[in-house]
Amino acid sequence: MRRPVTATLAGLCALAATATACAPTREADTDTLVVSTFSFATEQFMEVVAEPFEERTGIEVVLDTGNNATRLTKLRINKERPDTDVVLISDYYAAIGKEMGLFERIDPETVPNMAEIQPWAVDPEGYGPAYTFQLLGLMYRTDLVEEEPTSWGALWDPEHPGGFALPDISVSAGPLMVLATGETYGSGPTDADTGFERLAAIGPDALQFYSSSTEVSSLLERGEIAMAPSLDNFAMNAVEAGQPIGFALPEEGRLMTANTAQIVNGAPNRAGAEAFVDFLLDPQVQSEVAEVIYDKPVHPDAQVTDLMTRVSGDAAVNPTEAGYHQGDLDLIAGERSSWLDRFVEEVAR
């Protein structure tokens, strides 16, 4: 059964307001660092990032987890009395947060590792840097698809074997797929109209519109679909486990997204936040995170794992040299609400 899943920022606001109405506030708390982060791999994150940081600095790390939209809403609600110091958040949600005045610019002298990371990972406006990235491509069953796809056109090919799924617009791969399709078949990387038109042509044939990495991985592992646009880190577990799963990098429409480390405006522990961002960019830490959590590093001295290069090739080492680029973050952030509606009305109808 095809199942579109969408979420609106307004709907999440009410949920976050209820959850945070009674949250305690912190002022000038130099002994604790509250890090807002993703809800997956938290034990591994504590092991390779938070606990070593605690040992080095004596600052206790407290994690506040959830998805991008809910955590951004919590920050907005607590804007006048922030209780969070660092936010690990995807790049276009970071763009929304900047517009809301939720994040502070960083003095490069307080985060010296920023001078060492790949240039694309440094925010041109001086906000928090990217610390890892994900590539958009085609995840596929190697036992159902005889030749590795080289083009997004495989989704529109009536002869392709098996079914396919598409990312819902509410997940990271969704807006990227709109822009990748527009870049491939339209006038360029901001041609969202062509992206929606082309996706609308195959929307009725999609088996499902997935809303999580677990969902698309399960569909492929069970053989219910033969392929799906996804981010490369979704494929890591399956490839490492020896499942018949591959990841293809189309020759055109090479889009990527990144996770960024932002310092909250008015953070109770600003100095600790700067130290944490610098620690996260340390090449040794980046290497350990790559090994344990599959986060591709942005520091050129960090070690990219064999698994990463097996899945993503040379793009795992340097995405821009492989032709990858981030989408227009201001466009995605500014049009997010209207794209949610367009996706439901035009693609997932």
Side-chain angles (χ1 to χ4, degrees):
M1 171 183 270
R2 296 169 64 245
R3 179 168 59 85
V5 180
T6 56
T8 64
L9 198 57
L12 289 167
C13 287
L15 176 63
T18 300
T20 62
C22 300
T25 58
R26 302 162 52 231
E27 294 182 2
D29 179 8
T30 59
D31 297 325
T32 306
L33 190 80
V34 176
V35 178
S36 173
T37 187
F38 305 95
S39 55
F40 54 85
T42 53
E43 291 184 9
Q44 294 89 337
F45 184 84
M46 286 296 299
E47 175 188 346
V48 297
V49 179
E51 291 173 1
F53 178 78
E54 290 176 337
E55 293 175 4
R56 177 179 295 188
T57 64
I59 300 172
E60 179 186 4
V61 176
V62 177
L63 301 186
D64 179 24
T65 63
N67 64 36
N68 284 302
T70 301
R71 293 186 293 115
L72 189 68
T73 300
K74 289 171 67 176
L75 290 175
R76 184 185 62 79
I77 292 168
N78 294 329
K79 181 178 179 180
E80 299 306 316
R81 298 188 68 186
D83 58 3
T84 302
D85 302 295
V86 178
V87 182
L88 307 184
I89 194 166
S90 67
D91 50 10
Y92 57 85
Y93 277 96
I96 297 172
K98 294 174 195 175
E99 287 294 317
M100 293 179 175
L102 299 178
F103 305 133
E104 291 189 4
R105 289 180 171 86
I106 297 176
D107 181 351
E109 293 186 2
T110 66
V111 183
N113 275 316
M114 281 177 53
E116 304 296 330
I117 61 177
Q118 295 182 33
W120 70 264
V122 179
D123 186 276
E125 298 178 359
Y127 289 94
Y131 64 91
T132 187
F133 60 96
Q134 300 86 38
L135 308 173
L136 183 69
L138 278 170
M139 203 168 162
Y140 68 99
R141 292 275 307 202
T142 57
D143 56 345
L144 296 177
V145 180
E146 291 185 3
E147 295 185 9
E148 180 176 317
T150 59
S151 168
W152 291 115
L155 289 168
W156 283 265
D157 183 357
E159 302 299 323
H160 74 70
F164 65 91
L166 292 175
D168 186 77
I169 195 68
S170 64
V171 300
S172 295
L176 292 184
M177 190 60 198
V178 171
L179 295 183
T181 305
E183 181 175 334
T184 302
Y185 296 103
S187 60
T190 61
D191 189 355
D193 288 338
T194 297
F196 276 107
E197 290 171 8
R198 295 286 302 192
L199 290 172
I202 59 172
D205 297 324
L207 177 70
Q208 193 159 312
F209 297 95
Y210 69 85
S211 59
S212 69
S213 59
T214 302
E215 193 172 8
V216 67
S217 296
S218 295
L219 289 168
L220 283 159
E221 289 168 10
R222 296 195 301 266
E224 295 183 30
I225 59 173
M227 66 178 68
S230 74
L231 302 179
D232 60 343
N233 58 324
F234 292 6
M236 299 289 182
N237 269 322
V239 172
E240 187 173 41
Q243 297 179 11
I245 302 294
F247 188 80
L249 305 177
E251 295 175 352
E252 69 292 284
R254 291 195 160 190
L255 270 290
M256 67 176 179
T257 185
N259 293 340
T260 70
Q262 302 294 334
I263 294 180
V264 175
N265 191 357
N269 190 354
R270 171 64 189 247
E274 293 167 341
F276 185 85
V277 174
D278 193 59
F279 185 81
L280 192 61
L281 298 177
D282 180 272
Q284 181 177 348
V285 175
Q286 290 242 303
S287 297
E288 292 175 358
V289 171
E291 187 70 38
V292 176
I293 308 179
Y294 305 139
D295 276 358
K296 292 181 294 301
V298 298
H299 197 295
D301 293 338
Q303 296 298 309
V304 174
T305 67
D306 291 341
L307 175 64
M308 289 174 177
T309 54
R310 198 184 337 155
V311 171
S312 307
D314 292 341
V317 178
N318 191 319
T320 55
E321 284 190 359
Y324 270 85
H325 62 92
Q326 291 171 278
D328 187 322
L329 302 181
D330 291 333
L331 174 65
I332 297 173
E335 297 296 327
R336 181 163 177 78
S337 294
S338 64
W339 283 12
L340 287 168
D341 294 335
R342 275 191 84 172
F343 192 83
V344 172
E345 295 168 0
E346 300 177 27
V347 182
R349 63 190 189 279

